[in-house]
Amino acid sequence: MKRDIAQTLNELLSNKFSTIEIEKMIEKPKHVDHGDLAFPCFRFAREFKQSPADIARDLGGAFVCEGVHKVNVVGGYINFYLDIPILAAKVMSDITTQGSHFGEKQVGQGKAVTIDLSSPNIAKPFSMGHLRSTVIGNALANIVEKVGYKSIRINHIGDWGTQFGKLITAYKKWGDEEKVKTSPIVELHKLYVHFHEQAELDPSLNDEARLWFKRLEEGDAEAAKLWEWFREVSLHAFSLVYELMGISFDSFNGEAFYNDKMSAVIDMLERANLLEESDGAMVVRLDEEGLPPCLIKKRDGATLYATRDLAAAYYRYENYSFAKSLYVVGNEQSLHFKQLAAVLKKLDVPWANDLVHIPFGMMLKDGKKMSTRKGKVVLLEEVLAQSVKIAQAAIEEKNPTLAKKDLVAKKVGVGAVLFHDLKVFRQNDVHFSLEDMLRFEGETGPYVQYAHARACSILRKAKMDMQHGWSTTYETFGEEERPLIIQLHAFEDTISEAVKEWDPSKVAKYVVELCQHFNHYYAHVNFLQNANEQEKQQRLTLIYSTTIVIKESLRLLGIDAPEEM
């Protein structure tokens, strides 16, 4: 409908603009009573030497378009009220024929988008602090696939760096092999925390840790053996959490993978005369870009994040020929990614602008940032398990005869944790609250899942064949159906906005609003009683279309949609 309205407007504007340009200007009014769509005329005042109100009045008075049953002009805005029976026929024809493919586009044309996400550190627990990168990145991967890209999920594991010198030092001084074998992540984390506590009393421990990491970089057998062991047990522990969340990866190439690829990058920088010495370290100056120097090598010759990320960027482009390379990493790393792109531009890399940092806020507990260094951490695995347990208790209380209770509880419990994160605009902080996550009212995962299950229950009770007999005309539809139809119609635009802004919360907020409209419709329309067969068929087709879009919205967020709860 947006396209049809834009085309009609452009014709009235003597085709002075592109239809696509006009379509982008059409917006959703803030208030429902102001129409279904609105077109602001302010930008045309200079072009036509008229006031926006006069332009809106002239355009509105001449506007005629199939599917728009009323036009209302308010100030410089033209408000459009869509013809619900016509819109319903189009939207629900698309949904019932396309099913889960509804809303798909081929914008990406099969091009690759690499997504650097999750990236927990080896030998540290998978905390709630890691949740954000994991679920935002996974949702973005699903969303870009929806519009025709091929996503490459890369878990850039933190398996290198001075923390391994600290961990090896701690293990050598205080470690117990049997305890680590029995409960690796817990014990290794304890050792890591203990190291920092002791280093505050004895700073020489930091020097010892640096020496152990230097030995690891130089290929020392003992250091390498311990490092490989820590990495192996950590990846196994991480895999259990990823499996519970239903998240998989195309690559686990972490920092260590690029150890033999950094010298080529350093050579490149030297050949381009970009490396300079600064207090014994090697840097690339970025004064012209208004940025501090990018540190490539420390005084002791050790490499840094920037060196590895430069090597990783080259490797990913050479192996995947990405259209975009996304880095789902916290707000605090914004400077690092600005420096990364700036260095690549100095190297005249044509794809430097295709690197995109996707920043996000922190996960807070009691208003404070979680810290693995100080041991103030909430383990994601424990949160997921607790959430599932609470969901199990709720099911036992409300629906004890439910089939596959444990499976449904898992979907609800895990979905609650994921949705609580994804409903928040990614650059805002998220406040950890298990109680808030599991509410069945408000903007929560269980609320959306329950709306889906309720809609599925209606269809089962009506015994409608989900493959045949859906309505194709909707003459009986009116104001009661309007909000639900308009929201279903908005699904495609929501996907486009989520891709444009790299923001999964667009989808989460959309599906909450869809469920709110559905629940209102369910509460106010007694559609299975006192209705003729035609009305029943039309209303059930609307319910069926709603289940498809709710389920697909949740899938894009990485969340399951149970048919019974």
XYZ file of all heavy atoms in Angstrom, residues 234-319:
680
model
N 36.904 -25.257 28.130
C 36.043 -24.076 28.055
C 35.057 -24.181 26.897
O 33.866 -23.907 27.053
C 36.881 -22.808 27.896
O 37.716 -22.612 29.013
N 35.555 -24.580 25.724
C 34.682 -24.706 24.553
C 33.585 -25.734 24.786
O 32.446 -25.555 24.343
C 35.499 -25.068 23.308
C 36.316 -23.926 22.692
C 37.145 -24.439 21.523
C 35.397 -22.802 22.215
N 33.935 -26.812 25.484
C 32.927 -27.831 25.799
C 31.840 -27.235 26.701
O 30.635 -27.456 26.477
C 33.558 -29.039 26.480
C 32.550 -30.070 26.904
N 31.846 -30.845 25.994
C 32.097 -30.425 28.140
C 31.013 -31.639 26.654
N 31.153 -31.402 27.948
N 32.241 -26.456 27.695
C 31.278 -25.831 28.606
C 30.413 -24.815 27.853
O 29.191 -24.754 28.056
C 32.007 -25.153 29.759
N 31.036 -24.038 26.958
C 30.280 -23.056 26.177
C 29.254 -23.746 25.284
O 28.135 -23.250 25.102
C 31.210 -22.219 25.300
C 32.178 -21.351 26.055
C 33.332 -20.892 25.436
C 31.947 -20.978 27.373
C 34.233 -20.091 26.114
C 32.841 -20.179 28.065
C 33.993 -19.734 27.431
N 29.640 -24.891 24.704
C 28.754 -25.571 23.757
C 27.439 -25.974 24.406
O 26.395 -25.990 23.749
C 29.454 -26.799 23.156
O 29.604 -27.819 24.132
N 27.470 -26.293 25.696
C 26.248 -26.674 26.413
C 25.286 -25.490 26.508
O 24.064 -25.654 26.374
C 26.598 -27.182 27.817
C 27.523 -28.405 27.888
C 27.846 -28.745 29.335
C 26.889 -29.608 27.189
N 25.837 -24.310 26.709
C 25.001 -23.103 26.805
C 24.433 -22.743 25.432
O 23.246 -22.425 25.303
C 25.814 -21.917 27.368
C 24.933 -20.676 27.513
C 26.427 -22.277 28.716
N 25.281 -22.790 24.401
C 24.811 -22.480 23.047
C 23.720 -23.457 22.604
O 22.738 -23.061 21.971
C 25.975 -22.527 22.052
C 26.979 -21.420 22.231
C 28.354 -21.694 22.281
C 26.577 -20.096 22.348
C 29.280 -20.677 22.433
C 27.500 -19.070 22.502
C 28.852 -19.372 22.549
O 29.779 -18.359 22.695
N 23.906 -24.724 22.939
C 22.911 -25.734 22.572
C 21.568 -25.437 23.238
O 20.510 -25.566 22.616
C 23.407 -27.121 22.980
C 22.520 -28.259 22.490
C 23.060 -29.623 22.881
O 24.251 -29.721 23.263
O 22.290 -30.592 22.805
N 21.596 -25.022 24.499
C 20.376 -24.699 25.222
C 19.654 -23.518 24.566
O 18.418 -23.496 24.495
C 20.715 -24.358 26.675
C 19.552 -24.180 27.658
C 18.667 -25.426 27.704
C 20.089 -23.866 29.051
N 20.419 -22.558 24.056
C 19.822 -21.383 23.411
C 19.513 -21.623 21.938
O 18.916 -20.760 21.286
C 20.758 -20.176 23.541
C 20.917 -19.671 24.961
S 21.734 -18.048 25.038
C 23.405 -18.488 24.526
N 19.934 -22.769 21.397
C 19.678 -23.065 19.990
C 20.501 -22.218 19.037
O 20.061 -21.882 17.937
N 21.719 -21.871 19.453
C 22.580 -21.010 18.633
C 23.802 -21.787 18.155
O 24.459 -22.475 18.936
C 23.023 -19.768 19.435
C 21.791 -18.900 19.764
C 24.055 -18.952 18.667
C 22.089 -17.723 20.658
N 24.085 -21.675 16.866
C 25.248 -22.366 16.291
C 26.124 -21.353 15.545
O 25.699 -20.223 15.280
C 24.799 -23.474 15.327
O 24.020 -22.926 14.282
N 27.323 -21.780 15.200
C 28.296 -20.886 14.570
C 28.918 -21.539 13.341
O 28.984 -22.765 13.233
C 29.398 -20.511 15.566
C 28.882 -19.785 16.772
C 28.502 -20.488 17.914
C 28.743 -18.410 16.763
C 28.005 -19.831 19.018
C 28.245 -17.739 17.877
C 27.871 -18.456 18.996
N 29.382 -20.692 12.432
C 30.081 -21.175 11.238
C 31.590 -21.214 11.464
O 32.305 -21.879 10.721
C 29.758 -20.254 10.046
C 28.269 -20.226 9.754
O 27.741 -21.254 9.287
O 27.631 -19.196 10.018
N 32.053 -20.494 12.476
C 33.492 -20.451 12.749
C 33.744 -20.163 14.223
O 33.058 -19.332 14.819
C 34.155 -19.365 11.901
O 35.465 -19.098 12.360
N 34.729 -20.872 14.792
C 35.189 -20.605 16.155
C 36.621 -20.071 16.123
O 37.349 -20.181 17.100
C 35.128 -21.870 17.007
C 33.769 -22.177 17.559
C 32.877 -22.973 16.856
C 33.367 -21.666 18.788
C 31.622 -23.259 17.353
C 32.113 -21.940 19.305
C 31.238 -22.738 18.591
N 37.026 -19.491 14.996
C 38.379 -18.949 14.899
C 38.531 -17.772 15.848
O 37.946 -16.706 15.647
C 38.672 -18.482 13.464
C 38.812 -19.654 12.515
O 39.097 -20.774 12.942
N 38.608 -19.421 11.230
N 39.319 -17.977 16.897
C 39.519 -16.936 17.894
C 40.802 -16.169 17.663
O 41.412 -16.233 16.589
N 41.225 -15.449 18.704
C 42.408 -14.594 18.575
C 43.659 -15.389 18.219
O 44.481 -14.955 17.413
C 42.612 -13.823 19.874
C 41.503 -12.817 20.167
C 41.728 -12.103 21.485
O 42.822 -11.547 21.661
O 40.822 -12.126 22.338
N 43.802 -16.576 18.816
C 45.005 -17.379 18.576
C 45.138 -17.805 17.115
O 46.256 -17.981 16.609
C 44.994 -18.615 19.473
N 44.008 -17.948 16.432
C 44.016 -18.372 15.025
C 44.812 -17.402 14.158
O 45.367 -17.790 13.124
C 42.567 -18.466 14.531
C 42.429 -18.841 13.082
C 42.578 -20.160 12.661
C 42.143 -17.867 12.126
C 42.449 -20.502 11.328
C 42.010 -18.199 10.790
C 42.160 -19.524 10.387
N 44.899 -16.143 14.594
C 45.537 -15.119 13.756
C 46.996 -14.864 14.131
O 47.623 -13.939 13.600
C 44.724 -13.819 13.831
C 43.336 -14.030 13.294
C 42.247 -14.226 14.148
C 43.105 -14.105 11.923
C 40.972 -14.465 13.652
C 41.835 -14.344 11.419
C 40.778 -14.529 12.291
O 39.523 -14.783 11.791
N 47.550 -15.703 15.022
C 48.944 -15.509 15.437
C 49.922 -15.524 14.261
O 50.856 -14.738 14.206
C 49.357 -16.588 16.445
C 48.918 -16.232 17.850
O 48.526 -15.104 18.115
N 48.948 -17.203 18.750
N 49.694 -16.447 13.302
C 50.619 -16.555 12.169
C 50.208 -15.664 10.986
O 50.782 -15.755 9.904
C 50.723 -18.016 11.705
C 49.395 -18.577 11.225
O 48.352 -17.892 11.390
O 49.375 -19.696 10.681
N 49.195 -14.830 11.203
C 48.704 -13.973 10.117
C 48.986 -12.496 10.374
O 48.719 -11.657 9.520
C 47.197 -14.201 9.927
C 46.865 -15.641 9.526
C 45.378 -15.918 9.593
C 45.075 -17.370 9.205
N 45.732 -18.357 10.083
N 49.518 -12.201 11.565
C 49.730 -10.800 11.921
C 50.980 -10.211 11.293
O 51.019 -9.020 10.996
C 49.776 -10.659 13.445
C 48.415 -10.863 14.083
S 48.454 -10.610 15.859
C 49.370 -12.044 16.396
N 51.991 -11.046 11.073
C 53.239 -10.514 10.495
C 52.992 -9.937 9.107
O 53.593 -8.922 8.729
C 54.301 -11.609 10.432
O 53.844 -12.710 9.664
N 52.077 -10.555 8.347
C 51.761 -10.048 7.007
C 51.133 -8.656 7.093
O 51.425 -7.778 6.265
C 50.800 -11.006 6.294
N 50.306 -8.451 8.107
C 49.670 -7.141 8.292
C 50.721 -6.108 8.688
O 50.735 -4.979 8.171
C 48.574 -7.230 9.378
C 48.071 -5.842 9.752
C 47.420 -8.096 8.901
N 51.614 -6.492 9.594
C 52.680 -5.574 10.028
C 53.579 -5.210 8.846
O 53.955 -4.042 8.670
C 53.488 -6.198 11.180
C 52.590 -6.335 12.421
C 54.708 -5.354 11.511
C 53.184 -7.165 13.539
N 53.913 -6.202 8.008
C 54.715 -5.936 6.800
C 54.013 -4.935 5.881
O 54.634 -4.032 5.308
C 54.973 -7.234 6.032
C 55.944 -8.155 6.760
O 56.617 -7.668 7.698
O 56.000 -9.349 6.413
N 52.679 -5.110 5.753
C 51.884 -4.227 4.908
C 51.950 -2.787 5.415
O 52.112 -1.837 4.644
C 50.429 -4.714 4.930
C 49.749 -4.759 3.563
S 48.040 -5.315 3.703
C 48.283 -6.972 4.321
N 51.836 -2.642 6.726
C 51.882 -1.310 7.339
C 53.263 -0.677 7.160
O 53.380 0.534 6.932
C 51.536 -1.405 8.826
C 50.085 -1.790 9.160
C 49.949 -2.113 10.645
C 49.133 -0.654 8.780
N 54.292 -1.511 7.251
C 55.663 -1.004 7.066
C 55.891 -0.557 5.626
O 56.472 0.509 5.378
C 56.685 -2.079 7.457
C 56.798 -2.260 8.979
C 57.766 -3.370 9.362
O 58.056 -4.230 8.492
O 58.214 -3.392 10.526
N 55.411 -1.370 4.681
C 55.584 -1.018 3.257
C 54.849 0.272 2.902
O 55.274 1.027 2.024
C 55.095 -2.155 2.360
C 56.016 -3.364 2.341
C 55.731 -4.262 1.140
N 54.351 -4.751 1.142
C 53.949 -5.857 1.777
N 54.827 -6.578 2.466
N 52.691 -6.237 1.726
N 53.739 0.508 3.612
C 52.961 1.731 3.360
C 53.482 2.915 4.174
O 52.888 4.003 4.137
C 51.489 1.478 3.685
N 54.607 2.702 4.896
C 55.211 3.745 5.728
C 54.228 4.319 6.759
O 54.221 5.529 7.022
C 55.766 4.886 4.851
C 56.916 4.427 3.993
O 57.790 3.704 4.453
N 56.900 4.835 2.721
N 53.428 3.449 7.322
C 52.434 3.880 8.299
C 52.871 3.629 9.733
O 52.335 4.232 10.659
C 51.093 3.179 8.041
C 50.368 3.556 6.748
C 49.112 2.703 6.570
C 49.994 5.040 6.745
N 53.846 2.735 9.946
C 54.286 2.404 11.301
C 55.292 3.429 11.813
O 56.239 3.796 11.115
C 54.911 1.011 11.340
C 53.969 -0.192 11.450
C 54.771 -1.466 11.598
C 53.021 -0.041 12.652
N 55.052 3.868 13.027
C 55.987 4.797 13.676
C 56.294 4.297 15.085
O 55.461 3.635 15.715
C 55.364 6.203 13.784
C 55.160 6.886 12.454
C 54.632 8.299 12.632
O 54.912 8.899 13.706
O 53.939 8.791 11.722
N 57.487 4.656 15.566
C 57.851 4.266 16.923
C 57.346 5.329 17.898
O 57.413 6.533 17.627
C 59.359 4.125 17.051
C 59.764 3.561 18.405
C 61.283 3.369 18.518
O 61.927 3.102 17.491
O 61.787 3.501 19.644
N 56.815 4.855 19.024
C 56.339 5.770 20.061
C 56.616 5.136 21.418
O 55.976 4.143 21.787
C 54.837 6.036 19.888
O 54.354 6.838 20.940
N 57.590 5.682 22.137
C 57.993 5.144 23.444
C 58.319 3.650 23.356
O 57.946 2.866 24.239
C 56.892 5.370 24.488
C 56.676 6.842 24.788
O 57.666 7.602 24.704
O 55.529 7.224 25.087
N 58.982 3.267 22.296
C 59.393 1.878 22.146
C 58.344 0.993 21.505
O 58.629 -0.128 21.080
N 57.103 1.465 21.426
C 56.024 0.690 20.790
C 55.868 1.128 19.338
O 56.367 2.187 18.937
C 54.722 0.905 21.549
N 55.166 0.301 18.533
C 54.916 0.628 17.140
C 53.442 1.002 16.974
O 52.554 0.249 17.392
C 55.260 -0.546 16.234
C 56.714 -0.989 16.322
S 57.895 0.366 15.975
C 57.611 0.637 14.232
N 53.198 2.176 16.367
C 51.825 2.677 16.245
C 51.559 3.173 14.824
O 52.488 3.429 14.058
C 51.559 3.833 17.241
C 51.832 3.399 18.676
C 52.390 5.079 16.881
N 50.279 3.308 14.502
C 49.854 4.010 13.288
C 49.182 5.290 13.761
O 48.193 5.242 14.512
C 48.857 3.172 12.455
C 48.335 3.999 11.273
C 49.500 1.898 11.962
N 49.732 6.429 13.333
C 49.157 7.708 13.770
C 47.877 7.998 12.990
O 47.791 7.796 11.783
C 50.160 8.842 13.559
C 51.366 8.714 14.474
C 52.037 10.063 14.711
N 53.047 9.959 15.740
C 52.814 10.048 17.046
N 51.581 10.240 17.474
N 53.789 9.943 17.915
N 46.880 8.498 13.733
C 45.576 8.799 13.137
C 45.150 10.228 13.476
O 43.973 10.510 13.686
C 44.521 7.794 13.644
C 44.818 6.308 13.371
C 43.815 5.422 14.109
C 44.764 6.026 11.862
N 46.156 11.141 13.533
C 45.883 12.528 13.919
C 44.876 13.190 12.988
O 43.985 13.925 13.434
C 47.187 13.345 13.907
C 48.220 12.771 14.872
O 47.830 11.933 15.709
O 49.396 13.148 14.791
N 45.016 12.938 11.674
C 44.121 13.578 10.704
C 42.676 13.139 10.896
O 41.740 13.867 10.549
C 44.570 13.233 9.272
C 45.918 13.828 8.913
C 46.414 13.349 7.560
O 45.636 12.664 6.863
O 47.564 13.657 7.203
N 42.480 11.939 11.430
C 41.127 11.414 11.663
C 40.595 11.842 13.032
O 39.470 11.477 13.401
C 41.127 9.879 11.572
C 41.368 9.329 10.173
C 42.831 9.413 9.745
O 43.695 9.675 10.615
O 43.100 9.238 8.550
N 41.411 12.574 13.793
C 40.980 13.019 15.112
C 40.952 11.888 16.121
O 40.204 11.931 17.107
N 41.797 10.868 15.894
C 41.820 9.701 16.783
C 43.213 9.527 17.380
O 44.209 9.913 16.762
C 41.454 8.431 15.991
C 40.047 8.376 15.379
C 39.943 7.164 14.441
C 38.991 8.298 16.465
N 43.306 8.917 18.555
C 44.626 8.613 19.112
C 45.324 7.553 18.278
O 44.675 6.838 17.495
C 44.304 8.093 20.521
C 42.882 7.668 20.481
C 42.203 8.532 19.457
N 46.647 7.429 18.421
C 47.382 6.430 17.627
C 46.862 5.013 17.874
O 46.453 4.685 18.994
C 48.829 6.575 18.116
C 48.889 7.926 18.741
C 47.535 8.195 19.306
N 46.909 4.207 16.836
C 46.497 2.799 16.954
C 47.737 1.965 17.276
O 48.684 1.903 16.482
C 45.864 2.320 15.649
S 45.270 0.620 15.720
N 47.743 1.344 18.450
C 48.888 0.575 18.920
C 48.932 -0.785 18.233
O 47.988 -1.573 18.323
C 48.790 0.415 20.436
C 49.984 -0.131 21.196
C 51.240 0.679 20.932
C 49.685 -0.137 22.701
N 50.017 -1.065 17.527
C 50.149 -2.303 16.761
C 51.040 -3.313 17.489
O 50.769 -4.512 17.496
C 50.736 -2.015 15.358
C 49.819 -1.049 14.582
C 50.932 -3.308 14.565
C 48.422 -1.570 14.317
N 52.143 -2.808 18.108
C 53.044 -3.674 18.861
C 53.469 -2.970 20.147
O 53.798 -1.791 20.136
C 54.307 -3.968 18.029
C 54.317 -5.304 17.342
C 55.701 -5.552 16.744
C 55.794 -6.938 16.134
N 57.149 -7.206 15.608
N 53.448 -3.724 21.250
C 53.911 -3.171 22.520
C 55.441 -3.058 22.525
O 56.125 -3.576 21.635
C 53.478 -4.078 23.672
C 51.998 -4.028 24.004
C 51.734 -4.903 25.220
C 50.268 -4.916 25.604
N 50.024 -5.791 26.773
N 55.962 -2.446 23.582
C 57.415 -2.284 23.713
C 58.119 -3.626 23.764
O 59.235 -3.778 23.264
C 57.739 -1.495 24.983
C 57.246 -0.062 24.940
C 57.449 0.645 26.248
N 58.878 0.837 26.540
C 59.324 1.474 27.615
N 58.479 1.963 28.499
N 60.626 1.616 27.818
N 57.425 -4.645 24.367
C 58.075 -5.959 24.472
C 57.842 -6.827 23.230
O 58.187 -8.006 23.212
C 57.576 -6.693 25.724
C 56.066 -6.962 25.683
O 55.419 -6.616 24.670
O 55.546 -7.519 26.666
N 57.237 -6.230 22.208
C 57.019 -6.971 20.956
C 55.698 -7.698 20.895
O 55.336 -8.263 19.860
N 54.956 -7.728 21.993
C 53.665 -8.429 22.009
C 52.659 -7.686 21.135
O 52.670 -6.455 21.043
C 53.145 -8.536 23.439
N 51.781 -8.444 20.490
C 50.757 -7.852 19.629
C 49.506 -7.548 20.443
O 49.358 -7.993 21.574
C 50.402 -8.829 18.491
O 50.120 -10.104 19.057
C 51.556 -8.960 17.520
N 48.605 -6.807 19.815
C 47.401 -6.366 20.525
C 46.139 -6.709 19.737
O 46.189 -7.258 18.651
C 47.468 -4.854 20.762
C 48.541 -4.443 21.766
C 49.710 -3.834 21.045
C 47.966 -3.477 22.776
N 44.987 -6.313 20.327
C 43.691 -6.545 19.689
C 43.679 -5.985 18.266
O 43.176 -6.610 17.342
C 42.564 -5.873 20.491
C 42.198 -6.581 21.762
C 42.245 -5.934 22.984
C 41.763 -7.908 21.740
C 41.900 -6.569 24.167
C 41.416 -8.565 22.914
C 41.479 -7.886 24.123
O 41.135 -8.536 25.269
N 44.198 -4.777 18.109
C 44.150 -4.121 16.798
C 44.884 -4.938 15.746
O 44.408 -5.091 14.612
C 44.737 -2.719 16.889
N 46.051 -5.475 16.119
C 46.830 -6.278 15.163
C 46.036 -7.498 14.728
O 45.977 -7.835 13.545
C 48.149 -6.747 15.825
O 48.586 -5.783 16.782
C 49.221 -6.965 14.775
N 45.423 -8.157 15.709
C 44.637 -9.363 15.398
C 43.395 -9.031 14.577
O 43.037 -9.752 13.665
C 44.228 -10.071 16.689
C 45.354 -10.821 17.335
C 44.889 -11.603 18.554
N 46.011 -12.378 19.056
C 47.030 -11.870 19.734
N 47.039 -10.582 20.002
N 48.015 -12.627 20.143
N 42.736 -7.939 14.936
C 41.517 -7.585 14.208
C 41.812 -7.149 12.781
O 40.988 -7.357 11.885
C 40.742 -6.498 14.966
C 39.842 -7.095 16.048
O 39.624 -8.328 16.023
O 39.367 -6.352 16.922
N 42.958 -6.550 12.563
C 43.359 -6.231 11.185
C 43.576 -7.524 10.391
O 43.094 -7.654 9.262
C 44.637 -5.386 11.185
C 44.480 -3.920 11.589
C 45.846 -3.295 11.864
C 43.753 -3.144 10.487
N 44.282 -8.471 11.013
C 44.515 -9.760 10.352
C 43.190 -10.478 10.110
O 42.977 -11.080 9.042
C 45.443 -10.627 11.205
N 42.291 -10.418 11.087
C 40.992 -11.079 10.967
C 40.162 -10.449 9.858
O 39.478 -11.155 9.097
C 40.236 -11.000 12.294
N 40.213 -9.126 9.744
C 39.436 -8.446 8.701
C 39.896 -8.889 7.312
O 39.064 -9.189 6.440
C 39.580 -6.932 8.853
N 41.223 -8.951 7.116
C 41.749 -9.417 5.820
C 41.343 -10.865 5.558
O 40.915 -11.225 4.458
C 43.281 -9.285 5.788
C 43.762 -7.931 5.349
C 44.177 -6.986 6.281
C 43.795 -7.588 4.006
C 44.615 -5.734 5.886
C 44.238 -6.344 3.596
C 44.640 -5.415 4.537
O 45.065 -4.176 4.137
N 41.488 -11.696 6.571
C 41.156 -13.122 6.412
C 39.691 -13.288 6.029
O 39.356 -14.066 5.127
C 41.458 -13.870 7.712
C 41.090 -15.337 7.662
C 41.974 -16.276 7.138
C 39.842 -15.778 8.113
C 41.632 -17.619 7.072
C 39.483 -17.114 8.052
C 40.388 -18.034 7.526
O 40.031 -19.367 7.453
N 38.803 -12.558 6.712
C 37.369 -12.701 6.450
C 37.011 -12.215 5.049
O 36.173 -12.821 4.372
C 36.570 -11.943 7.519
C 36.649 -12.622 8.878
C 36.063 -11.770 9.999
N 36.362 -12.372 11.294
C 36.073 -11.830 12.461
N 35.459 -10.646 12.505
N 36.378 -12.441 13.595
N 37.630 -11.125 4.630
C 37.304 -10.653 3.280
C 37.802 -11.636 2.221
O 37.101 -11.938 1.254
C 37.891 -9.265 3.023
C 37.383 -8.698 1.708
C 36.097 -8.170 1.636
C 38.157 -8.747 0.562
C 35.602 -7.690 0.434
C 37.669 -8.269 -0.641
C 36.390 -7.740 -0.705
O 35.892 -7.283 -1.907
N 39.024 -12.147 2.433
C 39.589 -13.092 1.455
C 38.800 -14.391 1.391
O 38.676 -15.002 0.333
C 41.050 -13.391 1.818
C 41.991 -12.214 1.544
C 43.341 -12.390 2.223
O 43.570 -13.473 2.833
O 44.166 -11.459 2.155
N 38.230 -14.824 2.520
C 37.534 -16.107 2.566
C 36.029 -16.014 2.317
O 35.422 -16.978 1.859
C 37.782 -16.797 3.909
C 39.148 -17.432 3.982
O 39.341 -18.585 3.627
N 40.140 -16.655 4.411
